[in-house]
Amino acid sequence: MGRKTIIAGNWKMHKTASEAVDLAQALESGLKSDLALLADHLPQIVICPTFVSLGDVAKTLQSGRIALGAQNMDHRDSGAYTGEIAPPMLTAIKVSHVIIGHSERRQYFGETDQSVNLKVKAALAHKLVPILCVGETLEQREANQTDDVVTTQVKGGLADLDANAVSNVVIAYEPVWAIGTGKNCDAQEANRVCGLIRKVFGGMFGESQAQALPVLYGGSVKASTIEEQMQQSDIDGALVGGAALKAEEFLPIIKGGAGRVQARSLAKA
Ligand code: PGA
């Protein structure tokens, strides 16, 4: 399986522009020093600072090892939409990825599968990689609705797309109850749901697209959890919040991703 391994950091509403630049610099130098021996096995690394830090962080990232992502965007190209940010504004400053439909956007900012779908389509139209987030709340899990909720979110978020259009899509399974709570979803259970996501995607777009789809796990990922998560067959990386805010916590997670890249290349050889 030639799937990409991706380690993405969602910085949420943290860090001023200068703090964001400092963290980006610390990550770049960590890759050159602590992780130098893994240079050939690094996962794809994506960092997602706030909108106001993206431009400065873009100028800081010189190694080509770290890609830049936004945490959200509007689906329209321009217009009278006070406070919004359009896809061409992101691509103009070397943003390559965008998180779409994070549970905090769904919960606090009224995003729905319909609005998420418009944003995924806009991202793809602008050659941005959408990291589509799905996941159930605690109540939904306790009511045994996890599989239905995740299936509905994948189908809704990717509605009206065809198989040719979705080869850049990344999906992150983020159980809402595990985000920022320190409660990890058990690795085997996370793997099961990531496998379900792949199956639903395969039903929509075909088996070869499903086998190429990177599915990430997110929710209290830490250095101490990443190794087991990266050993799972259907978990292709991580979307990390709190532990992405300090280089000394995020670098070991990147290292965990590199372990997976290495294991996969050995398995192929
Ligand atoms: P967390 O956040 O790692 O702090 O739980 C993950 C996310 O919201 O993407």
Side-chain angles (χ1 to χ4, degrees), residues 1 40-41 258-269:
M1 280 185 285
D40 293 338
H41 302 285
R260 183 175 184 284
V261 174
Q262 231 165 354
R264 295 253 151 163
S265 66
L266 285 174
K268 249 198 285 173

Side-chain angles (χ1 to χ4, degrees), residues 10 12 102 104 174 178-180 219-221 239-242:
N10 173 11
K12 306 194 182 186
H102 189 281
E104 288 151 15
E174 297 207 306
I179 295 179
S220 298
V221 172
L239 179 55
V240 187

Side-chain angles (χ1 to χ4, degrees), residues 113 116-118 120-121 132 152-159 161:
D113 287 337
V116 165
N117 181 235
L118 291 173
V120 170
K121 287 180 187 156
L132 167 63
T152 302
Q153 288 176 338
V154 170
K155 286 191 174 163
L158 300 174
L161 284 162

